[in-house]
Amino acid sequence: MIVILTALGIEQDAVLEHLVGATVHEHNKGTLFDVGAITGHPGHRVAVGVTGAGTTTAAALTERAGAEFSPTAMMFVGIAGGLRDKLDLGDVVVATKVHSYQGGRSENDEFLVRPRSWELSHRLDQKARRLCRGNGWYDWLSEQARAAEPKVSFAPIAVGDVVLDSTTSELARRIRTSFNDAVAVEMEGSGFAHAAALADQVPAVVVRGISDHANGRKAQDDRAGNQLIAARNAAAFAIALAVSLEPQTDSATESPSPMAPSLPPIHNTMTARDHATVGEQIGVQFNNWGQK
């Protein structure tokens, strides 16, 4: 089982487009997951959940999903704001590092950054990079999306509970100064990455599609439909990555466990001194150490 979490319904719908036979799985605390198989790959089953915006709920529901499904891998998939001109709308970013940018110490005349970061699982990093050879992941895109030729970047991202839509704000300057390697910004990845790291080191990855450039034009970009394009591109890459992993073994087709060899019964006829039969013992005789 693979768990894919999203923050928004539009992101969840983009993932569900690639699943068949999805049914609702309800956690005993009320959280709902859609569980189905990837189209054409019945051995690859996926549980999809929506966390809502923010790092706190992302962390809580990541922990919940991990405990509920014991997944072989976990992914957070959705949209992000781009911080580099080289990233076009619709491009995909695979987060090699997830920076939590809000930690620090506030003093009279400055803010001293105390960041936390989580790195991408090596196994998933290797699988994801191989998908980019010849754009193999394009098979999961629509014909229209393929025509736009979206690119995939492997780079750090910055995460915090703030919608960033400016290149000149104090927060924008802090990210640019203290997290200069980040190419995108979003609101859930650090909570997800932290919870996944605590879940017995389950392989985890954040995959984001660029829906705006965090430059004051987010509302216009959203109205133009770029959220849907970015969500679908990110979902296509995530599904391609899921398929590249080993399929789930169907317990119904597993070889049965070898049976213990049967032991022949022992039939003892007990005869009294006068040759009269007094009974019959059926079974296997053992001494005090379990030996015959």
Side-chain angles (χ1 to χ4, degrees):
M1 178 72 72
I2 295 171
V3 166
I4 296 180
L5 297 176
T6 69
L8 306 175
I10 192 173
E11 299 164 336
Q12 182 192 37
D13 290 343
V15 175
L16 291 176
E17 289 176 0
H18 299 284
L19 303 187
V20 294
T23 58
V24 177
H25 176 96
E26 183 172 355
H27 186 272
N28 61 14
K29 301 300 183 184
T31 307
L32 301 179
F33 298 90
D34 290 283
V35 180
I38 296 176
T39 302
H41 299 267
H44 289 83
R45 294 186 58 77
V46 177
V48 186
V50 179
T51 68
T55 59
T56 303
T57 54
L61 294 187
T62 298
E63 170 67 21
R64 181 166 294 178
E68 185 76 355
F69 297 105
S70 299
T72 56
M74 302 185 78
M75 305 181 187
F76 207 101
V77 178
I79 62 175
L83 299 177
R84 293 287 189 275
D85 292 338
K86 68 177 183 180
L87 293 176
D88 295 324
L89 297 181
D91 283 355
V92 173
V93 175
V94 178
T96 55
K97 288 183 182 179
V98 177
H99 297 308
S100 176
Y101 63 69
Q102 289 181 297
R105 176 185 175 95
S106 180
E107 298 188 348
N108 289 335
D109 56 353
E110 63 180 332
F111 183 90
L112 304 176
V113 175
R114 293 181 177 178
R116 296 194 68 178
S117 300
W118 296 267
E119 294 197 7
L120 169 61
S121 155
H122 176 66
R123 183 181 302 278
L124 294 182
D125 176 75
Q126 293 291 290
K127 293 284 188 180
R129 290 180 188 276
R130 189 168 289 269
L131 287 176
C132 297
R133 295 183 180 179
N135 291 324
W137 68 283
Y138 275 24
D139 292 344
W140 296 94
L141 291 172
S142 67
E143 184 176 348
Q144 182 179 5
R146 286 197 298 271
E149 298 183 348
K151 304 181 297 295
V152 179
S153 294
F154 291 79
I157 63 173
V159 183
D161 288 304
V162 180
V163 176
L164 178 64
D165 193 25
S166 170
T167 59
T168 59
S169 68
E170 187 277 332
L171 177 58
R173 290 193 296 271
R174 186 193 307 171
I175 293 175
R176 186 165 53 249
T177 301
S178 302
F179 303 92
N180 189 252
D181 58 349
V183 303
V185 60
E186 48 102 329
M187 297 177 60
E188 296 81 30
S190 61
F192 164 78
H194 193 178
L198 295 176
D200 200 22
Q201 300 298 316
V202 61
V205 61
V206 176
V207 179
R208 294 288 183 172
I210 301 301
S211 61
D212 64 82
H213 284 115
N215 60 359
R217 294 185 51 82
K218 178 174 171 54
Q220 295 92 314
D221 288 333
D222 290 352
R223 286 196 296 269
N226 289 314
Q227 280 192 335
L228 180 58
I229 293 171
R232 282 178 166 168
N233 290 357
F237 190 89
I239 291 295
L241 180 56
V243 169
S244 75
L245 304 176
E246 291 295 323
Q248 178 183 350
T249 301
D250 186 349
S251 59
T253 62
E254 288 181 351
S255 301
S257 300
M259 299 292 292
S262 58
L263 298 173
I266 297 175
H267 300 271
N268 287 340
T269 300
M270 294 165 42
T271 307
R273 194 177 306 174
D274 57 0
H275 301 290
T277 299
V278 297
E280 187 177 58
Q281 177 183 351
I282 300 176
V284 181
Q285 295 180 330
F286 293 85
N287 62 20
N288 290 338
W289 298 274
Q291 298 172 332
K292 294 187 210 176

